[in-house]
Amino acid sequence: MVQTNNVQTNTDESAFSLLLPYDPVRHAALLADYCLMAAPGERLLVAGGQAATPLIREVTRALLSRGARPVVRVDYPGQDDDFAELASDAVLDAVHAADVADVEALDGSLRVLTPEPGQPGDAARRARLMASRAPVAAARARKKWSLTLFPTLHAAAQANMGHEAFGDFVMRAMFLDRADPVAAWGEVRQMQARIIDRLTRADVVRIEAPGTDLTLRVGGRTWANSDGRRNMPSGEVFTGPLEDSAEGVVTFTIPAAYQGQMVRGARLVFRAGEVIEASAEEGEDVLRAALATDAGARRLGELGIGTNSGIQIPTGNILFDEKIGGTVHLALGKSYPETGGLNASAIHWDLITDLRQGGRLSLDGEVVQENGIFLI
């Protein structure tokens, strides 16, 4: 029997579900101190869905206690669906200058992913909405930022886990089950630094797996050590491949959602860095709409390698799934400037392929990972 634990907030108006043993107080402290590094006087955005109210409240309290100025924004379920469906062309295709100015007035931001059931919509209009928000996203990226997830009932169901099991999974994935989670993330940073030491000396990366044989060039690019400050949880190293270097085919074996709609079995063929063929077993219209967002959406902005051995099963949420140890992910669209990547796009969509059963990762012809296990 699955049991839901409901905890009443101090508002005395609404009850929000907590998937115990998940602890929003510990989560908020880690976000405020380690991820946002909140300082007195900083204006920090805290944004998420209504279901994430327990965490949003605790983050707000943590920021206030550290002298920061939290700006709280809570979305109702289906808010973006309404925008995509009902907005006029003028509203859908252009962001208001005040929205950009507001983000530019922030010192940093936290976005709380709040998985909820979605309704299938017009994928092309959703892509237009994403494209129009590119200036806001760019302004936010110039500040410090962090992304995390609140474990909702829907997220547990999506992961095929019971409520208590999913709450425990989230705690362990973020090291919130440990006495000193910050020290645990320091250990991750050191482990990944050793991997980066080898990756930095490579130029040609080859990814091989059933349905996949893709080469990329990364020479001269910088590998980032994702240690939980921006993504919580994390556990990956990533870079921006040379924009015209992708050659071959890749099949993404782990489902990935885009704008709330699931895509399964996506297959892309690259020539000179650009997608020339695209198909999917499910959600092909969503995949094609994402690729049509702008010119940069057909090129890769990121190559990432998951290292988190504590995340071993797909959950249907990219924040966790791209960190699975023994997987690689490729992001269509925008590069992260710190990697040296130059690709510009309104989208950044990570798609994952599993190397743990018959996969190999090679650097300049040397196999450095086989069946998901590093040989270096």
Side-chain angles (χ1 to χ4, degrees):
M1 178 180 292
V2 175
Q3 180 176 339
T4 301
N5 300 288
N6 293 318
V7 176
Q8 185 75 22
T9 69
N10 289 346
T11 62
D12 294 326
E13 295 172 351
S14 299
F16 298 93
S17 296
L18 282 180
L19 306 190
L20 301 177
Y22 169 73
D23 184 350
V25 177
R26 295 207 74 200
H27 191 179
L30 183 64
L31 294 168
D33 293 329
Y34 180 69
C35 300
L36 291 175
M37 298 180 288
E42 287 187 323
R43 186 170 182 258
L44 300 170
L45 175 66
V46 183
Q50 283 180 332
T53 294
L55 177 59
I56 291 171
R57 179 173 187 265
E58 294 302 338
V59 172
T60 301
R61 288 166 59 86
L63 295 179
L64 288 169
S65 70
R66 288 153 179 80
R69 295 177 178 272
V71 178
V72 180
R73 297 200 177 129
V74 179
D75 298 336
Y76 64 81
Q79 183 168 305
D80 281 351
D81 295 335
D82 286 348
F83 267 79
E85 178 186 354
L86 301 173
S88 67
D89 287 346
V91 172
L92 186 67
D93 292 326
V95 68
H96 197 286
D99 294 332
V100 179
D102 182 59
V103 173
E104 290 175 339
L106 296 168
D107 294 298
S109 63
L110 169 69
R111 180 184 167 209
V112 181
L113 298 177
T114 316
E116 294 282 20
Q119 297 297 325
D122 186 323
R125 285 184 65 83
R126 294 175 73 93
R128 288 167 61 189
L129 178 63
M130 176 72 76
S132 74
R133 291 175 173 175
V136 173
R140 188 179 297 119
R142 290 192 288 269
K143 313 285 184 173
K144 61 181 177 181
W145 60 268
S146 189
L147 176 70
T148 194
L149 176 137
F150 178 80
T152 62
L153 299 174
H154 178 68
Q158 197 172 41
N160 295 312
M161 294 187 193
H163 300 167
E164 184 175 340
F166 189 68
D168 180 67
F169 167 79
V170 169
M171 291 290 285
R172 287 185 288 104
M174 299 185 189
F175 300 136
L176 293 171
D177 60 329
R178 301 201 190 176
D180 190 346
V182 172
W185 285 112
E187 294 171 6
V188 170
R189 188 183 314 115
Q190 293 174 10
M191 175 268 291
Q192 293 182 160
R194 292 191 292 271
I195 297 172
I196 288 174
D197 182 64
R198 175 63 183 89
L199 293 169
T200 299
R201 303 195 301 271
D203 180 22
V204 179
V205 178
R206 184 178 183 184
I207 305 167
E208 298 173 272
T212 294
D213 191 349
L214 185 75
T215 59
L216 305 161
R217 292 188 59 212
V218 295
R221 294 293 166 89
T222 300
W223 287 88
N225 188 332
S226 185
D227 58 0
R229 290 198 186 275
R230 284 190 167 178
N231 281 187
M232 179 54 66
S234 196
E236 65 165 307
V237 296
F238 65 90
T239 193
L242 274 64
E243 287 69 27
D244 62 353
S245 69
E247 293 282 347
V249 60
V250 57
T251 301
F252 299 103
T253 51
I254 293 179
Y258 183 76
Q259 294 286 288
Q261 300 182 70
M262 196 62 71
V263 176
R264 291 181 169 84
R267 180 180 182 273
L268 302 176
V269 178
F270 287 88
R271 291 289 181 271
E274 187 173 9
V275 176
I276 62 168
E277 294 179 25
S279 62
E281 295 172 4
E282 178 184 333
E284 186 170 315
D285 61 329
V286 177
L287 174 63
R288 293 187 178 278
L291 290 167
T293 301
D294 50 39
R298 303 188 73 85
R299 294 184 181 271
L300 295 176
E302 179 189 353
L303 162 63
I305 303 171
T307 69
N308 194 327
S309 60
I311 304 176
Q312 285 295 291
I313 59 173
T315 65
N317 190 286
I318 191 65
L319 183 64
F320 292 91
D321 294 353
E322 69 172 2
K323 315 304 190 314
I324 295 173
T327 66
V328 296
H329 55 276
L330 300 167
L332 293 167
K334 179 178 61 179
S335 297
Y336 290 116
E338 62 265 35
T339 68
L342 303 174
N343 200 42
S345 175
I347 75 168
H348 180 94
W349 183 21
D350 296 287
L351 295 158
I352 312 160
T353 193
D354 199 336
L355 303 183
R356 291 175 294 178
Q357 295 184 5
R360 294 196 304 180
L361 191 64
S362 303
L363 304 179
D364 299 323
E366 177 191 356
V367 177
V368 296
Q369 187 192 79
E370 192 158 17
N371 293 318
I373 300 173
F374 276 106
L375 308 176
I376 53 178

